[in-house]
Amino acid sequence: MTDTGEGAYPERKRGSGVKVVYEMLRDEILDLKLPPGSPIDEVHLAERFGMSRTPIREALVRLAGEGLVETLPNRSAMVSNIDVLNLHTFYDAITLMYRVTTRLAAQYHRPADLSRIRGLQQMYAAAAAAQDALAMVAVNRDLHAAIAEAGRNPYFTTLTLRLLDEGRRILRLYYQSFDDRLPKQYVDEHEAMIAAIAARDIDLCDRLARAHADQIVRQIQQLFARDERQEIAL
Amino acid sequence: MTDTGEGAYPERKRGSGVKVVYEMLRDEILDLKLPPGSPIDEVHLAERFGMSRTPIREALVRLAGEGLVETLPNRSAMVSNIDVLNLHTFYDAITLMYRVTTRLAAQYHRPADLSRIRGLQQMYAAAAAAQDALAMVAVNRDLHAAIAEAGRNPYFTTLTLRLLDEGRRILRLYYQSFDDRLPKQYVDEHEAMIAAIAARDIDLCDRLARAHADQIVRQIQQLFARDERQEIAL
DNA sequence: TGCATTTTATTTGTCGACAAGAAATCGACA
DNA sequence: TGTCGATTTCTTGTCGACAAATAAAATGCA
């Protein structure tokens, strides 16, 4: 196997090692560069990042805490599987979190929040104009994360972030193989939600967030259904 | 300092060390034996548990992932503070999770779930009859955890568990100093909720769970208000 | 005495090494 | 040839040690 592109890490500041490994592994897991179920070898990673196993191990423990990797005693850790059978629990959770965080954003947002949200929405519109589905997925995550932050409830924010990451992984599962186009309609839905947040219209936020979530769930289900048909067609 | 009661751990199975430390520290944090803000020294813990710093460290990383300890770079970790100023975010979150998990329990529970829930409810009633407030807090946590499990949505279950633990810590903050009596009314509320779950009456579950959560929030607020008056009275 | 600076001490972050446990390989035997 | 058991290999879990970073103490100076 050729070098996977890490190169050399000649000098690191003390304490930065874990962060580097954690973020790198996290990105690779969410982008499916590390496919679900693939084993994670500590010594291999240690060689790759040019450090000892200790910081690698700490990064893995953190990732396990977020449910991105699973560990069995005395055996290799592995990237968590995507549980397609229980996707409905994901739908339920993301729908509720979209609603709650958007409502709270309407209540508690401050001017700085709105400008950040609007900046992300512009990036989202740009990605949609460029028909870049993967960029849309990534920016969509950051946009809803910003909305959740504006709601200022750390419990909901944490869960929402986890769900958004899991969603990024699920969507990636399809977009990498089918190279789809996300409907531009999402841009308008985001616009409406942001306007409702700015107007502090809580009920409207709730309705829009629910519709938005339903839309995304339907999209995933369509992809999933088509995927199943393809499998049968094979 | 006298021995804090750990004694000797002469032989451990490989891999069990982290679990022991994690659970012990977790309990001590939730019981406020380790008060919020107190520093956590790794070598001290290593001596106390009779093992090296490595498994201690892993346990601390896990606890940090759950928000029970906070770590600053190159400095001692410390037990997380209870953010009394943002308690309303806790109220919001626990109320919503009570409602959601109870609703889902009504939908998805199986016979085994119900018997487990009813067993815990009996323990709760016993604790109430004995006027043992701390036991009531502990069993209340397990009871709602069982209800959440019956709802079979791991995302909601995880958040609910985190909130229940945080609540155990908040309640302990008061019950340890005032030695209060929890109203027996909670027993009846639990009975009603369980009956609604068994009857699969989702709307009723929602209303009961909301009322139950409001009741508990009011209780905490009362304790908090009285605490403030006492401080002023001093 | 009060403040700035150097020195010491304490505590964490990282490392390399070793042993325990599990998987893989090999071999004996029916 | 297939199966069971022993052996080897491979990976993790734990350890003790060292260095970096910070906090605390001591020193010097005005």
Side-chain angles (χ1 to χ4, degrees), chain B residues 25-68:
Chain B
L25 283 181
R26 191 166 169 285
D27 273 351
E28 292 185 357
I29 292 173
L30 294 180
D31 280 350
L32 298 188
K33 285 174 193 160
L34 288 176
S38 60
I40 302 176
D41 183 20
E42 293 178 5
V43 294
H44 188 72
L45 286 175
E47 288 171 9
R48 181 180 148 196
F49 286 97
M51 58 184 75
S52 93
R53 278 174 50 219
T54 309
I56 307 284
R57 210 149 215 292
E58 181 171 332
L60 289 180
V61 171
R62 278 216 251 166
L63 290 167
E66 297 173 29
L68 290 178

Side-chain angles (χ1 to χ4, degrees), chain A residues 26 29-32 36 63 66-70 79-84 86-87 89-91 93-94 137 141 158-174 220, chain B residues 154-155:
Chain A
R26 192 166 168 284
I29 291 173
L30 294 180
D31 279 351
L32 297 188
L63 289 168
E66 298 173 28
L68 291 178
V69 313
E70 288 168 7
V79 180
S80 296
N81 284 309
I82 299 177
D83 187 357
V84 284
N86 289 329
L87 264 185
T89 65
F90 174 79
Y91 300 152
I94 193 80
V137 171
R141 178 208 175 277
T158 304
L159 176 54
T160 303
L161 285 173
R162 193 178 159 188
L163 289 163
L164 286 168
D165 285 340
E166 191 75 20
R168 184 173 148 199
R169 220 161 148 239
I170 295 171
L171 288 176
R172 183 94 201 197
L173 194 63
Y174 296 101
I220 296 176
Chain B
Y155 302 107

